Amino acid sequence: MDQVRIGVIGVGNMGGAHAAYLADGSIKSACLGALLEEDGERASALQQHFGDEVPVFTNETDFFHANVVDAVLIATPHYSHSRLAEQAFAAGLHVLCEKPAGVYTRQVREMNEAAQKSGRVYSLMYNQRTKPIYLKLKDLIQSGELGTIRRMNWIITDWYRSQSYYDSSSWRATWPGEGGGVLINQCPHQLDLWGWLIGMEPKRIRAFCSFGKYRDIEVEDEVTAYMEYESGATGVFITTTAEAPGTNRLEVTGTRGKAVIEGETLSFWQLRTPEPTFNASYKGGFGAPEHWKIDIPVAGAETGHQGITQNFVDAILHGVPLIAPGEEGIQGLTLSNAMHLSTWIDNWVELPLDEALYEQNLNERIRNSPGKTVTTNQTLDVRKSY
């Protein structure tokens, strides 16, 4: 194979953008092989646009058995990701999936198992991993420049969304439609980066989610979560869609200093003496380790969605390591699920997550979603909407 034919599944806003750069040849050694769009009117418009060059399907079975693609890029609503990915793996196709990997961890774990059995390349569209500023922070952490990590705080409140945004579609900000609010829709990238940067999973989480606090919605629009790690490190994650002006500040503190990303700037307060060493020897009462503030130079350009797609193609053709392996999608989703569950049961949530308890609580909210008729066959595993 010298060219990967990629089929885009779900050609809405995001899927349409992916299809466009594939069609114009922006990805080396790849082309747009086919489209799968359930909406008949949209499918007809796509067929008119692409003509005979790109087949457009409205039926999943026909798409997966047409033998016109080598890989798929899934850009459908959250609930359908796992089902479509598993069908693709069963058909011998490689899979690149939009974030989040899914809505609840069991379905994502089953995706991972299907990927492993298939032997196909599986990646997620975690394009924030291509940002040079996060790559540099990861280097500072993993190289030991910050010492042992003690605390991580992320205030990410620049997701402002008005009521008109939520009113624009009937599925937005509902348990049946999206499976959550700011955590599942706006924050998957930050929750992914959280574990990717420090390389640790918390042992327990206590979260306080507010559902419809500032907007007329049923899902969470404000979250404050506290995490504890086996090492003794702690973390605080704060987010909302109702704050203006918003803040995006990530702070990581270790025994050798503190790193902060804010306003596209990475600053490092480096201790001259590691804090534990200073504490063990200092006898002056009041005092603190000497430190210097360093503005860390960040080189390179963010490659974004196209960077992840190019990396996916290079992994298929040349075995290049993935930037965002699909199996890692469960990590950020575990944090999201645990934050929901902690609020629902009003208690700490220990990890590994109790998946059955989470699904029980989620299904209850799906069934009781206001203003929607949700029958028993519309719960978790059988959702099909594109």
Side-chain angles (χ1 to χ4, degrees):
M1 188 195 306
D2 58 6
Q3 187 176 59
V4 179
R5 301 169 299 170
I6 299 178
V8 176
I9 304 178
V11 196
N13 290 336
M14 202 67 252
H18 294 311
Y21 66 69
L22 284 167
D24 68 19
S26 295
I27 306 302
K28 182 181 178 182
S29 301
C31 66
L32 181 62
L35 300 169
L36 172 57
E37 173 52 56
E38 189 180 55
D39 183 275
E41 186 175 336
R42 187 182 298 166
S44 295
L46 289 166
Q47 194 67 79
Q48 283 188 332
H49 177 75
F50 288 104
D52 296 331
E53 295 181 11
V54 180
V56 179
F57 297 85
T58 58
N59 180 275
E60 286 179 20
T61 302
D62 293 343
F63 173 83
F64 283 113
H65 289 87
N67 195 30
V68 293
V69 299
D70 309 298
V72 297
L73 197 166
I74 301 171
T76 60
H78 310 149
Y79 279 105
S80 59
H81 288 180
S82 61
R83 179 180 54 76
L84 291 165
E86 289 177 39
Q87 285 190 67
F89 290 131
L93 304 175
H94 306 283
V95 173
L96 173 57
C97 186
E98 263 292 352
K99 55 82 181 171
V103 175
Y104 52 103
T105 56
R106 180 176 60 82
Q107 67 174 175
V108 174
R109 182 166 44 78
E110 291 171 354
M111 285 171 71
N112 290 349
E113 293 168 358
Q116 187 174 24
K117 289 177 183 177
S118 75
R120 299 302 177 185
V121 173
Y122 173 34
S123 182
L124 281 169
M125 193 58 79
Y126 282 132
N127 53 285
Q128 294 294 296
R129 291 191 184 192
T130 73
K131 291 192 72 169
I133 199 166
Y134 293 127
L135 288 165
K136 179 61 72 173
L137 176 58
K138 183 177 175 67
D139 177 51
L140 287 177
I141 294 170
Q142 300 300 324
S143 67
E145 288 283 350
L146 283 173
T148 300
I149 301 304
R150 287 181 164 179
R151 182 172 55 82
M152 184 162 161
N153 290 345
W154 204 332
I155 302 174
I156 173 71
T157 60
D158 59 350
W159 294 124
Y160 188 81
R161 298 292 187 272
S162 67
Q163 186 64 46
S164 62
Y165 164 82
Y166 292 114
D167 292 343
S168 64
S169 297
S170 61
W171 52 267
R172 282 197 188 280
T174 64
W175 297 113
E178 292 193 281
V182 63
L183 290 174
I184 202 76
N185 196 330
Q186 282 78 37
C187 286
H189 285 299
Q190 285 69 40
L191 294 175
D192 168 64
L193 290 170
W194 186 280
W196 178 73
L197 286 167
I198 62 175
M200 298 188 294
E201 180 181 80
K203 66 177 182 178
R204 64 175 190 164
I205 294 177
R206 183 66 174 100
F208 301 88
C209 301
S210 296
F211 304 101
K213 181 176 182 180
Y214 298 110
R215 301 291 183 263
D216 184 17
I217 58 176
E218 62 188 78
V219 295
E220 80 282 355
D221 56 4
E222 182 179 77
V223 179
T224 299
Y226 173 76
M227 291 166 256
E228 292 183 349
Y229 293 80
E230 288 289 349
S231 66
T234 62
V236 176
F237 187 83
I238 298 172
T239 189
T240 182
T241 55
E243 194 165 293
T247 296
N248 186 353
R249 178 183 173 91
L250 171 60
E251 182 173 310
V252 185
T253 302
T255 54
R256 298 182 61 86
K258 175 177 70 174
V260 175
I261 291 178
E262 187 171 19
E264 300 300 320
T265 298
L266 173 58
S267 300
F268 178 29
W269 284 262
Q270 184 181 53
L271 299 183
R272 185 174 187 182
T273 305
E275 190 282 325
T277 303
F278 177 87
N279 181 60
S281 60
Y282 183 69
K283 305 300 180 185
F286 290 101
E290 185 179 358
H291 67 271
W292 302 276
K293 182 185 177 185
I294 305 168
D295 291 327
I296 302 294
V298 177
E302 178 185 359
T303 57
H305 296 103
Q306 294 187 35
I308 294 292
T309 305
Q310 185 66 68
N311 173 247
F312 173 63
V313 170
D314 292 343
I316 294 170
L317 295 178
H318 310 298
V320 172
L322 289 170
I323 294 170
E327 290 79 5
E328 295 180 7
I330 199 168
Q331 297 169 5
L333 185 63
T334 296
L335 300 180
S336 173
N337 283 185
M339 290 175 193
H340 278 152
L341 184 58
S342 174
T343 302
W344 292 337
I345 66 174
D346 195 20
N347 207 341
W348 286 94
V349 167
E350 306 281 340
L351 299 182
L353 182 72
D354 185 335
E355 293 178 341
L357 182 59
Y358 179 82
E359 290 177 43
Q360 175 187 332
N361 277 269
L362 177 58
N363 266 319
E364 180 181 348
R365 281 152 183 83
I366 291 173
R367 286 190 297 269
N368 295 327
S369 177
K372 296 184 182 293
T373 302
V374 182
T375 60
T376 55
N377 68 346
Q378 287 178 292
T379 53
L380 299 180
D381 288 353
V382 296
R383 293 194 55 80
K384 193 173 182 232
S385 173
Y386 286 4

